[in-house]
Amino acid sequence: MEKAKDFTDLEVWKKAHEIALLIYRLTQKFPNSEKFGLISQMRRAAISVPANIAEGFYRRGKRDKANFYTIAQGSLQELRYYMILSKDLRYIDSNEELIEQIISASMMINKLITSILS
């Protein structure tokens, strides 16, 4: 496997970016009353994941890198909760596919953190 030269080369960043795009599309259908509530929170969490992966990629120290990836992981779990809430509020019918993508990205971030710290 060739070493990544840029954060956009990372498969985990690509997956996180795709999740962010999906969240933007999904939340366009939410009620207007959620514009400054759930929509804003979901979008901020979704954006935080690829942004922290990008920032962590260019950090020099292992612990510093791992810290940004850990923040991305936290934002991903926050987003996972928002997906559960959105379904329970009946803003979406199904969340299984996107939840599976979130879980997959989470596992990828865990592997990235482990590879850095070992």
Side-chain angles (χ1 to χ4, degrees):
M1 182 179 353
E2 191 175 319
K3 187 172 178 171
K5 295 179 179 140
D6 187 70
F7 69 87
T8 59
D9 296 333
L10 298 172
E11 290 302 316
V12 67
W13 178 86
K14 292 175 187 177
K15 181 173 272 305
H17 178 65
E18 182 60 32
I19 290 169
L21 294 173
L22 291 170
I23 291 298
Y24 264 78
R25 289 184 200 117
L26 179 72
T27 55
Q28 286 177 339
K29 301 170 187 166
F30 281 26
N32 246 2
S33 61
E34 289 292 353
K35 185 174 186 179
F36 300 107
L38 191 55
I39 293 171
S40 175
Q41 289 294 107
M42 287 180 79
R43 288 178 174 186
R44 286 174 55 211
I47 293 168
S48 175
V49 180
N52 276 291
I53 292 169
E55 189 164 355
F57 183 83
Y58 288 102
R59 295 295 173 144
R60 294 190 188 271
K62 289 181 178 186
R63 293 239 179 256
D64 204 17
K65 278 182 175 297
N67 183 52
F68 279 93
Y69 297 148
T70 300
I71 292 167
Q73 179 69 276
S75 294
L76 206 51
Q77 297 311 315
E78 181 182 359
L79 183 58
R80 185 174 170 205
Y81 166 68
Y82 294 145
M83 290 298 299
I84 293 166
L85 179 61
S86 297
K87 185 175 180 199
D88 290 347
L89 290 171
R90 301 189 200 301
Y91 293 160
I92 57 175
D93 294 327
S94 175
N95 62 4
E96 288 86 15
E97 187 177 324
L98 195 45
I99 292 270
E100 285 176 17
Q101 289 187 38
I102 290 169
I103 291 169
S104 174
S106 176
M107 292 182 344
M108 292 171 82
I109 291 172
N110 280 342
K111 287 179 184 176
L112 185 58
I113 293 168
T114 299
S115 73
I116 289 167
L117 296 178
S118 52

